[in-house]
Amino acid sequence: MKFASYKNGQRDGQLMLVSRDLTTAINVSDIAPTLQYALDHWYQLADKLEARYQQLNEGRLHGVTFQASRCESPLPRAYQWADASAYVNHVELVRRARGAEMPATFWTDPLMYQGGSDDFIGPRDDIILPSDEWGIDFEAEVAVVTDDVPMACSETMAAERIRLIMLVNDVSLRNLIPGELAKGFGFFQSKPASSFSPVAVTPDELGDAWQSCKVHHRLRSTYNGVLFGQPHAGKDMTFNFAQLIAHAAKSRNLRAGSIIGSGTVSNRQDLSEGACIGEGGVGYSCIAERRMVETLLHRHPSTPFMQFGDKIRIEMLTDACQSIFGAIEQRVKPLD
Amino acid sequence: MKFASYKNGQRDGQLMLVSRDLTTAINVSDIAPTLQYALDHWYQLADKLEARYQQLNEGRLHGVTFQASRCESPLPRAYQWADASAYVNHVELVRRARGAEMPATFWTDPLMYQGGSDDFIGPRDDIILPSDEWGIDFEAEVAVVTDDVPMACSETMAAERIRLIMLVNDVSLRNLIPGELAKGFGFFQSKPASSFSPVAVTPDELGDAWQSCKVHHRLRSTYNGVLFGQPHAGKDMTFNFAQLIAHAAKSRNLRAGSIIGSGTVSNRQDLSEGACIGEGGVGYSCIAERRMVETLLHRHPSTPFMQFGDKIRIEMLTDACQSIFGAIEQRVKPLD
């Protein structure tokens, strides 16, 4: 199934089922008014939603034209948003660029931070911030949404509790990060509101591309109209989503609707020739990583962070070039 | 007004108004089914709830006997839980005990971490964890619940957006903290589910004790039946709640129902004679602080962290010894 939440003036939006090809959508409020409600009652409602979804795809229901511009993030607000750094290559580059060793345990013990989840922005909404001197960056990621997950659950059980998959733009304020991390309590002001793809999909929608709890497609980031990165989300993901969920649930239950992010998608590349798209590489899912490689190669970064007016588009395509989740497409704008 | 959420088999509980003296309660689901709903629609609903509350206190409505044992946390799950360390004395002791200097900016720039909010435990529910070798500790705190708060808001506006006040037991796993903070991403596994007082109250309920966005009463922690701490929550709070909210909203909006915590309530004391209750001090709001003082005085801590079976009670009384929020009262139990 594919789900979207249309803007309707309410805090949680209006649940819509979207056809597999993303052309049509249908209001399913008679089954579940919101996506959180559907997740809260998944066992009672999934079959009904599935039946409606099949009818929609078979053209037996009169849907409306699907418009990503009408979308909230699938969960406009959520009770849990925990983001990992599962592509350890990215973390290693961060460390190398500042001349620090990465602890060996980073390959066996996931990095994860607790994100804020009360005010996500829509996939086509502007990223509004008071200043573009804070080092505004996008981070293209994959995320899953879980059902209830009991404390201390196994990876096998964690895998079974994955209900939905979506894309994320985990907006980061790079210039605020060093000061905040130095305080020792992790990110807060440096991680403003994230946005998610117009559509969240059940794992079966990915077919063979959902294997070992990883998404086996490239994640495309287009920055100001130029392809900036297309690393493969199935490669170099050191911890799969089942491992990340089990990590998150070590000392707590996760409740239905919990979002667990992969962290910036990043592939290990031969840096000697550069790793940008124009240099034959797969590019990057955030500006910071490109700046790290620039620092490693040339001693200092040359790509600036986002300025007001800059635009980022994040999307994932099937092998047949069909958009799976719709595109996140946002401009950075100043707070009035 | 005083609000509670009774357990009703639903994820958000049943909203109840509780009489000022905490003796009777009344179901107000005809106005708002849940506390989150009331907060989402505060401007439309507050007057109706206020009228009902007055009738309840005047004995003109037939309530039921209020039972704290039937309570969820006022918000059984929330969209935002950010916890500060506003009593900087506590932070300074942490640092001194490990021989580290505290940066001077800690007196001017609040420490705040992003907490998890999808699965709070009820005020009388057991604290269930897989191991008591993780250094289980309570942390007695005060918290506020906000209405919508716009990004970059002033402290004056932040103060006006405080809707509710409650107590917190911010359970911490002390032995997991050093490893987690060393990874650089802040707390995650070391901060399991928190619990909140049976009742959340509007600021006017505190009368003169709500001044300068601080609560001017002692916060009493009773550990295994013995008074462990009664520091004054109005003293030594370096950042008041308006400042903490403005800090949290620097780069994001906060949405209705956001919970902002004070951090462990702690008073500056003359440590030369010891600062425990039995030594004439005001004691502590967590075991870790007592262990720090033991370390400073005797080079090593002697009070162990909580073991399975241990019990913590957290309460705040008026000058007339009336409980304001009801008591958090919990035992630590092993996960089956």
Side-chain angles (χ1 to χ4, degrees):
Chain A
M1 287 182 276
K2 297 197 173 191
F3 294 100
S5 294
Y6 263 19
K7 296 182 181 199
N8 66 346
Q10 303 294 310
R11 293 176 185 270
D12 297 298
Q14 160 65 59
L15 183 60
M16 306 291 284
L17 267 172
V18 183
S19 63
R20 186 161 290 129
D21 63 4
L22 304 184
T23 59
T24 57
I26 190 162
N27 179 327
V28 286
S29 58
D30 58 317
I31 301 176
T34 67
L35 184 54
Q36 182 64 52
Y37 186 94
L39 290 159
D40 283 349
H41 304 87
W42 191 260
Y43 292 100
Q44 297 100 289
L45 302 181
D47 287 350
K48 287 183 205 173
L49 291 165
E50 186 71 52
R52 191 74 58 90
Y53 182 63
Q54 287 197 14
Q55 292 173 322
L56 179 66
N57 281 313
E58 290 162 5
R60 292 193 282 133
L61 288 175
H62 187 66
V64 297
T65 301
F66 174 64
Q67 293 174 280
S69 60
R70 294 187 58 185
C71 288
E72 304 272 10
S73 282
L75 290 167
R77 55 180 179 174
Y79 296 102
Q80 172 62 275
W81 159 230
D83 197 14
S85 270
Y87 297 85
V88 178
N89 178 61
H90 172 78
V91 184
E92 203 171 31
L93 282 171
V94 179
R95 299 274 173 151
R96 270 176 64 196
R98 65 173 198 242
E101 280 282 298
M102 190 180 76
T105 54
F106 280 26
W107 293 102
T108 51
D109 178 34
L111 270 180
M112 183 173 281
Y113 76 88
Q114 179 65 64
S117 53
D118 56 322
D119 185 48
F120 295 138
I121 44 182
R124 301 296 169 95
D125 290 349
D126 296 327
I127 298 165
I128 295 173
L129 286 164
S131 169
D132 61 358
E133 293 179 359
W134 287 349
I136 303 170
D137 199 0
F138 58 90
E139 284 193 7
E141 311 186 4
V142 180
V144 297
V145 182
T146 74
D147 205 326
D148 291 318
V149 177
M151 193 187 309
C153 81
S154 67
E155 289 173 17
T156 307
M157 179 185 279
E160 290 163 359
R161 299 298 168 98
I162 296 171
R163 294 284 161 265
L164 299 170
I165 302 161
M166 52 193 184
L167 306 182
V168 193
N169 180 10
D170 179 44
V171 181
S172 297
L173 302 174
R174 301 294 182 189
N175 296 342
L176 301 189
I177 289 180
E180 210 156 40
L181 294 195
K183 290 164 75 179
F185 273 25
F187 308 106
F188 195 94
Q189 294 174 332
S190 53
K191 290 286 185 179
S194 299
S195 53
F196 296 83
S197 49
V199 167
V201 313
T202 47
D204 59 296
E205 291 292 335
L206 295 176
D208 290 344
W210 178 246
Q211 271 179 34
S212 308
C213 290
K214 300 178 185 179
V215 177
H216 292 264
H217 282 302
R218 292 184 178 278
L219 182 60
R220 294 166 58 88
S221 297
T222 305
Y223 182 42
N224 290 331
V226 177
L227 187 63
F228 189 86
Q230 52 174 346
H232 196 284
K235 279 190 197 158
D236 302 322
M237 190 186 189
T238 306
F239 307 101
N240 68 21
F241 280 110
Q243 291 171 302
L244 297 179
I245 293 166
H247 179 86
K250 176 179 171 179
S251 58
R252 68 178 73 192
N253 305 304
L254 301 176
R255 301 309 301 267
S258 290
I259 305 171
I260 309 292
S262 68
T264 309
V265 174
S266 171
N267 288 162
R268 184 178 290 270
Q269 302 190 70
D270 175 7
L271 303 184
S272 58
E273 314 251 307
C276 291
I277 298 282
E279 298 158 341
V282 298
Y284 312 99
S285 299
C286 66
I287 296 172
E289 191 171 312
R290 178 154 159 173
R291 287 168 57 91
M292 292 167 212
V293 171
E294 288 166 350
T295 302
L296 289 170
L297 294 178
H298 313 296
R299 295 200 181 165
H300 56 81
S302 51
T303 306
F305 290 118
M306 299 177 92
Q307 305 296 305
F308 289 137
D310 284 346
K311 191 171 170 184
I312 177 66
R313 178 183 169 94
I314 298 169
E315 195 168 23
M316 185 175 272
L317 306 178
T318 64
D319 297 341
C321 287
Q322 274 274 348
S323 183
I324 301 171
F325 305 95
I328 297 171
E329 196 169 336
Q330 311 183 279
R331 258 186 213 286
V332 182
K333 294 254 176 90
L335 183 69
D336 286 334
Chain B
M1 288 181 276
K2 297 197 174 190
F3 293 100
S5 293
Y6 264 19
K7 296 183 181 196
N8 67 347
Q10 304 294 310
R11 294 177 186 270
D12 297 298
Q14 160 64 58
L15 182 61
M16 306 290 286
L17 269 172
V18 183
S19 63
R20 185 162 290 128
D21 63 3
L22 304 185
T23 59
T24 58
I26 191 163
N27 180 327
V28 287
S29 58
D30 59 316
I31 302 175
T34 67
L35 184 54
Q36 182 65 50
Y37 185 95
L39 290 158
D40 283 348
H41 304 87
W42 191 260
Y43 293 99
Q44 298 99 291
L45 302 181
D47 286 351
K48 287 183 204 173
L49 290 165
E50 186 71 52
R52 192 73 59 90
Y53 181 64
Q54 287 196 16
Q55 291 174 322
L56 179 67
N57 281 312
E58 290 162 1
R60 292 194 281 132
L61 288 175
H62 187 67
V64 296
T65 302
F66 173 64
Q67 292 172 280
S69 60
R70 294 187 58 186
C71 288
E72 303 273 10
S73 282
L75 290 167
R77 54 180 179 173
Y79 295 102
Q80 172 60 277
W81 158 229
D83 197 14
S85 270
Y87 297 85
V88 178
N89 177 61
H90 171 80
V91 184
E92 202 172 32
L93 281 172
V94 179
R95 299 274 173 152
R96 272 177 62 195
R98 63 171 198 243
E101 280 282 298
M102 190 181 76
T105 54
F106 280 26
W107 293 104
T108 52
D109 178 33
L111 270 181
M112 184 173 280
Y113 76 88
Q114 179 65 63
S117 53
D118 55 321
D119 185 48
F120 295 138
I121 44 181
R124 301 296 168 95
D125 291 348
D126 296 328
I127 299 165
I128 294 174
L129 286 164
S131 169
D132 61 358
E133 291 179 0
W134 286 348
I136 303 169
D137 199 359
F138 58 90
E139 283 192 7
E141 310 186 4
V142 179
V144 298
V145 181
T146 74
D147 204 326
D148 290 319
V149 177
M151 195 187 308
C153 80
S154 67
E155 291 173 15
T156 307
M157 178 185 279
E160 290 163 358
R161 297 297 167 101
I162 296 171
R163 293 286 161 264
L164 299 171
I165 303 162
M166 53 193 181
L167 307 181
V168 194
N169 180 12
D170 177 43
V171 181
S172 298
L173 302 174
R174 300 295 181 188
N175 296 341
L176 301 189
I177 289 178
E180 211 157 41
L181 294 195
K183 290 163 74 179
F185 272 25
F187 308 106
F188 196 96
Q189 295 174 332
S190 52
K191 290 286 186 179
S194 299
S195 52
F196 295 83
S197 50
V199 167
V201 315
T202 48
D204 59 295
E205 292 291 336
L206 294 176
D208 291 344
W210 178 246
Q211 272 180 33
S212 309
C213 290
K214 301 178 185 180
V215 177
H216 292 264
H217 282 301
R218 293 184 178 277
L219 182 60
R220 295 166 57 87
S221 296
T222 305
Y223 182 42
N224 291 330
V226 178
L227 187 64
F228 190 87
Q230 52 174 344
H232 196 285
K235 281 192 197 157
D236 302 322
M237 190 184 189
T238 306
F239 307 101
N240 68 22
F241 281 109
Q243 292 171 300
L244 297 179
I245 293 166
H247 179 85
K250 177 177 171 178
S251 58
R252 67 179 73 194
N253 305 303
L254 301 175
R255 301 308 302 266
S258 289
I259 306 171
I260 309 291
S262 67
T264 308
V265 175
S266 171
N267 289 163
R268 185 177 289 271
Q269 302 190 69
D270 176 7
L271 302 183
S272 59
E273 315 250 307
C276 292
I277 297 283
E279 298 158 341
V282 299
Y284 312 98
S285 299
C286 65
I287 296 173
E289 191 170 312
R290 178 153 161 176
R291 287 168 57 91
M292 292 168 212
V293 172
E294 288 166 350
T295 301
L296 290 170
L297 293 178
H298 313 298
R299 298 201 179 164
H300 57 81
S302 52
T303 306
F305 289 120
M306 298 177 92
Q307 305 296 304
F308 289 138
D310 284 346
K311 193 172 170 184
I312 178 65
R313 179 184 168 94
I314 297 169
E315 197 169 20
M316 185 174 271
L317 307 178
T318 65
D319 297 342
C321 287
Q322 274 273 348
S323 182
I324 300 170
F325 304 94
I328 295 171
E329 197 170 334
Q330 310 183 282
R331 257 185 214 286
V332 182
K333 293 253 176 92
L335 182 68
D336 286 335

